[in-house]
Amino acid sequence: MALSEREQNRYHRQMIFPDWGEEAQLRLKNSRVLIAGAGGLGSPVAIYLAVAGVGTIRICDCGTLELSNLNRQILHDDSRIGKNKAVSAQETLSRLNPEITVEPVTDELSQTNVQAAVGHVDLIVDCLDNFETRQLLNSYAVKNRIPMVHAGVYGMRGQLTFIQSPETPCLWCIHSGTIPKVLFPIVGATAGVIGCLEALEAIKYLSGIGTNLRGRLLIWDGFTMEFTELPQKKMPDCPVCGGIK
Amino acid sequence: MKIKLKLFATFREFLPEGTDGHSCALDLNDGTKVDAVINQIRLPGDVPKIILVNGIQKNAQEVLKDGDTLSIFPPIAGG
């Protein structure tokens, strides 16, 4: 299906990139993405994927919006306090770009519902706030050969990588444990920096433009404003991706 | 033997005094394990860590070899 005149106009400034054009824009339009989490990271990711023209955004969050979320969760506002975050996200994204489809998933991700909640998508963007659910998504992504952008934030620091098993290390290869969920310090701009980088990784992968952080963990320190990159290798005996060729 | 130690984020403050940037060289006895390095630099044992030796995740019992690069950083879980 070709782009409408309205879509041509809406996406013009990105379509004039060398190698982008209508072809890459149609790839974005025909893409289906799961954003896991509609909080600090999920907000910039969802906003930038929506305005870039990703055709179907499935956004998953079982949480209810609280006042203390609003220093960073820019998908939502005061009027939505008490509302489910995935539903609130759908309202914002549909207003930002009525040309796309947004599917809210309000269930908590678990072993029993992960297949139904994620479904068939081209890419998963991890915007979660805990490693337990991340490892659940990682296993599903590896098993179903779905690439995943992983990121995490804390304070004024963040990390980011692009996972595509079996070519790259999976999340278990990077961190095989879980850590207790705690109330952590965060300023909205930190989620903005790392969330925007996640969105860019997703847009590049889906449109076929540029290269991704495959096997490279990007660590950002906002206190000193330094980006550092660490090469990552697969664990030879990884219980999640070890046997997959 | 000599190894390169890289520490990131909140762990950077445990690099030896005078270190510039994220990394330093360490002279160690043959057969030194990662946990001995962690003790030597006084990195708290009970804090969650991601340990990489030459880019591959290992645990604190890993025996280091001459020329290894040991990277240690805290897992960042928030979203």
Side-chain angles (χ1 to χ4, degrees):
Chain A
M1 198 200 309
L3 296 173
S4 66
E5 198 179 327
R6 198 175 158 75
E7 286 171 316
Q8 296 264 8
N9 196 9
R10 179 185 283 271
Y11 306 123
H12 176 68
R13 291 292 292 274
Q14 61 200 46
M15 286 170 64
I16 59 174
F17 264 88
D19 303 327
W20 196 306
E22 183 149 349
E23 206 173 306
Q25 194 58 47
L26 279 170
R27 283 198 288 270
L28 284 181
K29 182 177 178 170
N30 294 325
S31 296
R32 191 174 166 81
V33 173
L34 175 86
I35 300 173
L41 285 173
S43 288
V45 168
I47 287 170
Y48 280 111
L49 295 193
V51 298
V54 171
T56 304
I57 294 175
R58 202 166 162 80
I59 187 158
C60 177
D61 202 312
C62 65
T64 300
L65 188 69
E66 296 171 15
L67 181 61
S68 63
N69 300 149
L70 292 177
N71 79 322
R72 63 200 182 280
Q73 302 188 10
I74 56 174
L75 268 173
H76 320 292
D77 64 30
D78 256 84
S79 70
R80 313 261 180 84
I81 289 169
K83 188 173 257 189
N84 171 271
K85 292 186 195 178
V87 173
S88 169
Q90 182 191 30
E91 287 178 25
T92 302
L93 299 174
S94 299
R95 271 211 295 271
L96 280 169
N97 190 350
E99 319 272 356
I100 64 165
T101 303
V102 183
E103 301 172 350
V105 178
T106 59
D107 297 328
E108 185 172 11
L109 284 176
S110 68
Q111 197 74 52
T112 51
N113 73 1
V114 65
Q115 186 157 4
V118 178
H120 175 72
V121 291
D122 301 299
L123 180 72
I124 295 170
V125 188
D126 158 22
C127 302
L128 293 163
D129 62 357
N130 69 90
F131 264 97
E132 205 176 331
T133 316
R134 280 191 177 100
Q135 296 295 5
L136 176 72
L137 263 189
N138 177 59
S139 298
Y140 182 83
V142 169
K143 190 176 161 194
N144 293 282
R145 309 267 174 136
I146 303 170
M148 181 165 91
V149 185
H150 156 69
V153 285
Y154 186 108
M156 286 196 202
R157 295 187 170 105
Q159 66 181 40
L160 177 78
T161 193
F162 188 91
I163 295 166
Q164 187 167 25
S165 192
E167 293 85 11
T168 74
C170 75
L171 189 62
W172 191 270
C173 294
I174 296 165
H175 179 54
S176 57
T178 59
I179 55 175
K181 198 172 167 178
V182 291
L183 186 71
F184 63 95
I186 178 83
V187 62
T190 294
V193 169
I194 300 298
C196 285
L197 293 175
E198 276 201 288
L200 200 54
E201 284 294 286
I203 290 166
K204 287 188 301 177
Y205 173 75
L206 297 169
S207 64
I209 309 285
T211 55
N212 288 110
L213 277 169
R214 293 167 193 267
R216 298 151 60 198
L217 183 72
L218 187 73
I219 298 175
W220 175 67
D221 188 335
F223 285 103
T224 53
M225 207 50 86
E226 287 172 290
F227 284 92
T228 316
E229 204 178 289
L230 269 179
Q232 295 266 312
K233 293 180 184 166
K234 288 164 72 95
M235 280 169 71
D237 53 352
C238 176
V240 179
C241 73
I244 294 176
K245 292 196 182 352
Chain B
M1 65 173 182
K2 280 193 173 159
I3 69 150
K4 186 185 235 184
L5 173 66
K6 291 183 170 181
L7 300 180
F8 297 95
T10 46
F11 293 173
R12 250 175 101 171
E13 63 191 85
F14 294 94
L15 280 166
E17 214 166 304
T19 303
D20 191 24
H22 297 275
S23 65
C24 68
L26 288 182
D27 273 312
L28 302 171
N29 293 326
D30 286 354
T32 300
K33 291 181 180 177
V34 170
D35 65 352
V37 175
I38 289 172
N39 288 337
Q40 184 180 324
I41 61 173
R42 300 186 178 185
L43 194 56
D46 56 349
V47 175
K49 302 169 191 69
I50 297 178
I51 298 166
L52 305 179
V53 177
N54 304 325
I56 302 174
Q57 190 190 167
K58 300 287 181 184
N59 64 37
Q61 294 309 306
E62 181 71 9
V63 176
L64 296 163
K65 300 184 301 298
D66 186 47
D68 278 349
T69 297
L70 169 62
S71 306
I72 311 175
F73 51 100
I76 298 181

